[in-house]
Every structure is written in C-alpha cells, then in structure tokens.
C-alpha cells in the first residue's frame, strides 16, 4: 500500500474523473469485483498447473493487509484526510484501496465487506490455503508515545486477531507493535499468546529506526519468542507518517539480525534507493535491492534473513529484479510467497502483458490471468508467480509453501 503507482494511479483517476471520464475510469481503473470464476477458468490448465506439486495446506500468503474505515466497531482508524475529497491523493488512495478489496459500495459495513470479500476469494483457492492478515501500528515519537495526527491508518492487533479467530480455516494474523512503546515487550508476549505468527513494521511511516538501541529489548523478546519480523525496506511513498525515509534502509536491519531475530524484508526491498551506509556518511545512493542482496550474501545471516515476494511484480519494479530473484536458486529457500493484497486487485498496478513481452511469462497465460484478476486477485497473484520464469528457471515450490516458516521453535 505504499507504492508510487498507487499515487500515480490515483492522480490518473482524478484526472479522468475531472475530465468527466467517470465511465472510462470505471472501466479501466476500477476492479469490477466479480465474485465467482467462470468454469472454463477454474478448470483451466494454467490454473491447475499452478497448484501442481504443492500441498495447499502449506501455502500461506504471508503478506496481506486488513483494511477498513472503522465503521464496524473494528477500532480501525484512518486519517480524516483520507475521507475528504479536498485531499484528492489520499481520497483516491482510499477509494482504490477499498475498491481493490471491493468494499466501496457498502455504506455502514465497509469493514465487514472487506473481510467477507476475503472469505470469498479464499474460497476460490485450493482448500487448506490461508492468508496472514497484517495489523498496522500507529506512528509513535521517539519517546514511544502514539501520534495519531501523524498516523495515516491504524489496524489494531485485536481486530486482526479477532478476524483471524472467527475464521481459523481462512486466516492467520501478524501483530504490529512499535518497539519504542513502554509496554512493547508485554504487548508482544500477549500477541504471541493470542496466536500472532509474526510482527509487521513499516519503519519510515511508523517512526521506527531499526538501527536504534531503543529497539534492543524488543529484538531480544522477538528472538526469545522466535517470532519473525516482517518489515518494509526500500522506498516508501504513499503512507505519510514520521517521514524518515532513511529508516527504510535494509542495512539498518543488521541490528535486529545481530540479536538473532528472523527478519523478512518485504518485497525483497525491490523499490527505490538508499544510501550505502557501509561506505560512510556521504556514501552514494544505490538501489535498495542491491543492499538486500548484500545482506543475503552475508554468511552470518544465512539462517536469519529472508525476503517476501509480495509486490515484486508491480509495474514500477525493475524487471531485472524479478529476473534475478528467479535466477538466484540459492536464495529460494529464503524467499516467502506473499501477495500484498489488496494491491494485486488494483488494476493498473500489474501488467501480465508486459511480463510476457519481457519473456518472464508464457504469452498463453496472459488472457487467463487477465480474467483471473477481475474475479480473484489472490488467485491471480498466485498463478502469475507460479508461472514466472527466467529461461527455464521458476520459483521453487518451497517459496510458496511458507507455513513451516511460521512455526515457532519451543523456547
Ligand atoms: Zn504491504
């Protein structure tokens, strides 16, 4: 939810709407939210092949966002700017976001519709598949106090937990806890008792410097509880917050790794640039992905550092990154499948056609994928990633069978 084309897409929509192009915008940018799949697609060879060789009960989408506007007693909170057409970027962001989850036309029950839509989509996956819902912490200041006025949106842990608990055959959940909170360790222990499978951070927006000693007691607790930390690294555009882009630098995660924390870098840091801090204060900026690669190559992190493949297929990503992720088979045991739902449901963000042009997909898969996306963005993202290829190389089945990664070792 923090990607440049999100804003570009919103701007494009605003332009179309402003020019009286509502109908056109609806056709080209809005996801039509169709529910069930046509039978010729469900049984299509391309879809069946995607499940072949996998145990669906081991396939967990480790990166999916819970969203809403707080109309269902969920405790969800979003910035008032996102509710006002006077702030068109945020306003259209919210429309896109909720439309991607197909909850936009349900006054009074947007939160509930978002979850019901997820049930519906998971029913379209093979039985046993589960999705991990991510909570989303508020922005905090250096003293560990919540700063609601800097928080773009807040998805409380209790809400993610309760949605997951209500439907354990569909969902797992991950908590989100700010490490500067005075009660961060107690909150983490409580979340672990309540079944949280991981912790999710978006450091620049939440106001977290992963390299700060203020994180140490949280890291020690994560290592002790064997809970993985899924954290965004690389560029972060759309979620406004504490505004410290340098805190997204992958190198700053060494502090967590050195505490023995299992760290999952979201999207393999596939977007943006960061300063090469290993080369000093005035070092040049390099691609965030190259810093992710450097960390992946450091032997002492071989059993601790991982990457998720959510959002790597968005249009704004460098295709060379996808190619490298496919080719680096030695990394595959350390890559985890995730969709970054609802992003795959946002029509302008992913282009199967472009991937086929670049020989990363069989062109025969394109029409099937385009139909899938209109009906089921989860299945779309899964089938697409199962079919991605660089020459004869594809993602290993283990990339998709992520469940075991979230089993905690007994202390
Ligand atoms: Zn995400």
């Amino acid at each position: 939810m923090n990607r440049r084309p999100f804003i570009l897409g919103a701007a494009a929509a605003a332009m179309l709407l402003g020019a009286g192009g509502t109908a056109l915008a609806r056709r080209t940018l809005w996801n039509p939210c169709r529910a069930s799949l046509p039978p010729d697609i469900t049984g299509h060879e391309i879809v069946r092949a995607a499940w072949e060789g996998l145990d669906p009960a081991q396939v967990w989408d480790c990166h999916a966002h819970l969203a809403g506007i707080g109309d269902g007693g969920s405790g969800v909170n979003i910035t008032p700017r996102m509710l006002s057409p006077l702030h068109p970027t945020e306003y259209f962001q919210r429309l896109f976001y909720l439309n991607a989850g197909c909850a936009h036309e349900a006054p009074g029950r947007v939160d509930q519709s978002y979850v019901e839509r997820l049930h519906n989509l998971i029913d379209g996956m093979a039985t046993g598949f589960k999705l991990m819902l991510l909570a989303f912490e508020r922005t905090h200041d250096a003293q560990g106090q919540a700063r609601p006025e800097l928080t773009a949106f807040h998805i409380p842990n209790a809400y993610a937990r309760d949605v997951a608990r209500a439907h354990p055959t569909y969902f797992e959940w991950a908590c989100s806890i700010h490490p500067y909170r005075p009660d961060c360790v107690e909150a983490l222990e409580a979340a672990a008792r309540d079944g949280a499978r991981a912790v999710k951070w978006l450091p620049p927006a939440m106001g977290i410097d992963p390299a700060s000693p203020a994180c140490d007691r949280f890291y020690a607790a994560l290592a002790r509880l064997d809970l993985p930390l899924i954290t965004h690294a690389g560029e972060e555009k759309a979620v406004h917050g504490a505004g410290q882009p340098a805190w997204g630098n992958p190198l700053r995660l060494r502090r967590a790794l050195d505490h023995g924390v299992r760290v999952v870098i979201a999207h393999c840091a596939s977007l943006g640039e960061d300063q090469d801090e290993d080369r000093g204060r005035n070092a040049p900026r390099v691609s965030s992905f190259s810093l992710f690669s450097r960390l992946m190559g450091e032997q002492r992190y071989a059993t601790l550092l991982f990457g998720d493949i959510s959002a790597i297929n968005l249009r704004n990503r460098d295709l060379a990154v996808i190619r490298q992720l496919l080719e680096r088979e030695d990394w595959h045991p350390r890559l985890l499948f995730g969709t970054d739902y609802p992003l795959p449901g946002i029509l302008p963000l992913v282009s199967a056609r472009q991937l086929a042009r670049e020989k990363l997909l069989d062109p025969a898969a394109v029409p099937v994928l385009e139909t899938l996306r209109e009906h089921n963005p989860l299945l779309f993202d899964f089938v697409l990633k199962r079919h991605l290829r660089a020459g004869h190389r594809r993602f290993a089945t283990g990339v998709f069978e992520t469940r075991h990664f979230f089993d905690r070792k007994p202390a």
Side-chain angles (χ1 to χ4, degrees):
M1 70 181 80
N2 38 355
R3 236 76 56 214
R4 191 205 316 261
F6 209 122
I7 291 179
L8 295 180
M15 257 151 50
L16 284 166
L17 293 169
T22 311
L24 178 62
R26 281 191 181 277
R27 254 203 326 281
T28 55
L29 297 171
W30 254 244
N31 184 324
C33 300
R34 302 202 171 102
S36 53
L37 279 167
D40 57 321
I41 295 293
T42 326
H44 197 284
E45 174 54 26
I46 301 268
V47 177
R48 282 192 293 117
W51 289 105
E52 251 162 47
L54 287 180
D55 173 3
Q58 303 302 316
V59 180
W60 284 6
D61 171 357
C62 79
H63 190 137
H65 291 279
L66 191 51
I69 60 170
D71 64 353
S74 57
V76 169
N77 219 318
I78 72 174
T79 173
R81 290 165 65 88
M82 277 207 187
L83 294 168
S84 160
L86 295 176
H87 298 286
T89 302
E90 282 114 324
Y91 182 71
F92 281 103
Q93 241 175 345
R94 181 182 66 91
L95 280 188
F96 264 95
Y97 192 43
L98 292 175
N99 170 262
C102 290
H104 58 302
E105 277 164 5
R109 46 189 303 282
V110 169
D111 295 359
Q112 196 186 339
S113 306
Y114 188 91
V115 173
E116 284 166 6
R117 169 74 172 159
L118 277 174
H119 292 171
N120 196 261
L121 298 178
I122 296 169
D123 284 337
M125 306 293 282
T127 307
F129 166 89
K130 284 206 214 187
L131 174 149
M132 199 153 80
L133 296 168
L134 306 180
F136 200 84
E137 175 67 290
R138 284 173 294 190
T139 302
H140 283 61
D141 61 23
Q143 286 71 46
Q145 298 304 307
R147 299 289 299 271
E149 76 285 7
L150 296 176
T151 302
F153 58 94
H154 175 216
I155 309 289
N157 291 327
Y159 181 52
R161 177 198 67 198
D162 293 349
V163 171
R165 265 190 191 160
H167 293 279
T169 55
Y170 290 138
F171 300 126
E172 297 287 333
W173 72 286
C175 63
S176 185
I177 296 167
H178 201 292
Y180 303 173
R181 269 169 57 171
D183 67 340
C184 67
V185 172
E186 292 83 347
L188 185 66
E189 285 167 345
R193 275 195 303 277
D194 286 347
R197 295 288 187 168
V199 176
K200 175 71 198 315
W201 281 358
L202 181 48
M206 291 174 179
I208 301 168
D209 177 3
S212 164
C215 298
D216 287 355
R217 63 198 185 101
F218 193 73
Y219 290 150
L222 279 173
R224 169 168 54 84
L225 295 165
D226 194 26
L227 272 173
L229 174 64
I230 302 174
T231 183
H232 184 90
E235 188 169 352
E236 191 275 306
K237 278 276 180 191
V239 180
H240 304 288
Q244 291 284 355
W247 294 348
N249 191 320
L251 299 178
R252 298 183 93 75
L253 292 162
R254 283 208 185 99
R255 193 167 191 104
L257 294 161
D258 291 338
H259 275 79
V261 177
R262 287 187 292 152
V263 174
V264 180
I265 294 187
H267 333 304
C268 299
S270 50
L271 184 63
E273 292 186 343
D274 280 295
Q275 200 172 31
D276 186 352
E277 294 177 354
D278 286 349
R279 293 166 61 189
R281 280 190 166 274
N282 297 313
R285 293 174 71 77
V286 296
S287 78
S288 306
F289 180 72
S290 70
L291 300 178
F292 167 79
S293 307
R294 183 185 302 166
L295 292 179
M296 286 293 276
E298 291 176 14
Q299 197 46 42
R300 63 190 186 282
Y301 303 143
T303 59
L304 293 172
L305 180 65
F306 301 79
D308 85 35
I309 61 165
S310 70
I312 58 160
N313 48 335
L314 298 192
R315 272 178 198 237
N316 59 339
R317 299 311 208 257
D318 183 353
L319 293 171
V321 167
I322 301 185
R323 211 164 267 128
Q324 204 176 333
L325 289 171
L326 290 162
E327 284 168 357
R328 289 295 302 259
E329 288 172 325
D330 57 322
W331 284 359
H332 289 187
R334 297 162 68 190
L335 299 182
L336 301 165
F337 167 66
T339 61
D340 214 0
Y341 182 87
L343 288 191
I346 298 171
L347 289 178
L349 290 189
V350 188
S351 170
R353 214 168 275 278
Q354 185 199 8
L355 292 168
R357 262 198 312 271
E358 298 292 330
K359 302 197 175 358
L360 290 162
L361 261 185
D362 177 356
V366 172
V368 181
L369 286 166
E370 284 179 347
T371 308
L372 272 182
R373 176 166 54 187
E374 289 191 358
H375 290 79
N376 190 333
L378 281 181
L379 186 58
F380 161 71
D381 192 74
F382 169 75
V383 172
L384 187 154
K385 284 170 181 161
R386 284 286 284 157
H387 285 280
L388 279 177
R389 62 182 193 196
H392 64 280
R393 293 196 179 87
R394 293 168 180 244
F395 284 127
T397 54
V399 173
F400 298 88
E401 296 186 326
T402 57
R403 177 182 186 151
H404 66 94
F405 177 79
F406 296 98
D407 287 333
R408 290 157 52 203
K409 280 192 293 290

